Amino acid sequence: MNNFFDLIEKRESCRNYSNKPVEKEKLISCIEAARIAPSACNGQPWRFIIINNKELSFKVAKCIEDLVMNKFTEKCPAFIIVLQEKTDIKARIGAKIKNQDYSSIDIGIASCQLCLEATEQGLSTCIMGWFNEKKLKNLLNIDPSKRIRLVISIGYSADTEIRKKIRKNIDEIAKFI
Ligand SMILES: Cc1cc2nc3c(=O)[nH]c(=O)nc-3n(C[C@H](O)[C@H](O)[C@H](O)COP(=O)(O)O)c2cc1C
């Protein structure tokens, strides 16, 4: 149990990357952690595109630093693009009947597992929801009808200290009845 909390305390959004390259095996391990994540009706509504190439990563950063946001990505050596895939009919009907967006929930869970595995591997990540989707799709030749839901920067942090987590108190977010 303690080890699990050590891991989730260690995961933080990294906005300062070193130029150390990322080993492909570590990226595969992160994708494996996402692959085995739970999802509604086991629909697995995700695909991952991994960019681990200095020149292309810089071009990806240029699509993420939209307005004043996400400038830090220019120094990031690798990215994982998280695409939403259509689920099977069962998951789609379930979502419609229950008026729930299961795919977004599923993608969030898988991305979290991915980031925690990255932390376990000594890597640092930042989940990003702010990017120029159209520019990114053009750059990476992604079908315009697909949705890019998240971009995850991944690399070695140039920082040594872990920040203290700023969060709401437990009594603000949970009620035992
Ligand atoms: C769905 C989602 C979208 C996010 N988008 C961005 C983003 O575009 N840029 C950024 O710097 N951080 C982004 N973040 C990171 C959050 O700001 C961060 O998780 C939060 O402030 C808590 O900090 P921590 O991750 O260091 O614990 C995003 C996080 C999530 C889960």
Side-chain angles (χ1 to χ4, degrees):
M1 196 65 172
N2 271 342
N3 286 342
F4 178 65
F5 270 91
D6 288 347
L7 183 69
I8 57 177
E9 281 285 344
K10 209 167 141 202
R11 188 227 49 87
E12 63 180 9
S13 296
C14 175
R15 300 185 181 89
N16 184 21
Y17 289 95
S18 78
N19 54 15
K20 185 176 169 186
V22 181
E23 300 85 343
K24 187 175 177 189
E25 316 78 70
K26 292 194 174 185
L27 292 170
I28 293 170
S29 183
C30 293
I31 300 299
E32 175 60 11
R35 189 183 73 83
I36 61 177
S39 58
C41 297
N42 205 14
Q44 304 162 70
W46 47 62
R47 289 287 182 279
F48 302 95
I49 297 175
I50 299 99
I51 295 113
N52 192 20
N53 157 318
K54 215 173 163 207
E55 284 94 78
L56 188 55
S57 288
F58 189 76
K59 289 182 185 164
V60 167
K62 289 284 166 200
C63 303
I64 303 172
E65 47 169 74
D66 202 26
L67 305 175
V68 291
M69 291 284 286
N70 298 334
K71 270 261 169 210
F72 70 90
T73 53
E74 283 185 14
K75 274 174 65 193
C76 185
F79 293 95
I80 297 174
I81 312 293
V82 188
L83 291 170
Q84 180 168 343
E85 280 295 314
K86 235 180 168 178
T87 46
D88 62 9
I89 188 82
K90 220 166 69 196
R92 287 214 302 282
I93 290 175
K96 191 110 189 139
I97 292 173
K98 290 295 158 198
N99 188 25
Q100 288 279 0
D101 177 10
Y102 293 129
S103 291
S104 296
I105 297 170
D106 298 340
I107 285 168
I109 296 169
S111 300
C112 181
Q113 291 202 181
L114 187 159
C115 292
L116 287 174
E117 173 58 15
T119 307
E120 178 68 21
Q121 295 287 341
L123 291 162
S124 294
T125 54
C126 185
I127 297 173
M128 287 170 287
W130 186 277
F131 47 82
N132 188 320
E133 188 175 1
K134 202 169 166 204
K135 255 168 92 178
L136 252 184
K137 282 189 204 167
N138 279 341
L139 175 70
L140 302 172
N141 246 322
I142 296 168
D143 183 336
S145 69
K146 299 265 180 227
R147 288 300 316 269
I148 300 174
R149 300 305 308 276
L150 294 169
V151 176
I152 301 174
S153 57
I154 184 161
Y156 287 94
S157 178
D159 298 328
T160 47
E161 299 279 299
I162 302 289
R163 299 186 300 270
K164 192 174 156 27
K165 299 256 181 300
I166 301 162
R167 297 292 191 266
K168 292 174 185 167
N169 292 323
I170 198 158
D171 54 344
E172 290 178 84
I173 60 160
K175 183 171 151 190
F176 292 83
I177 51 175

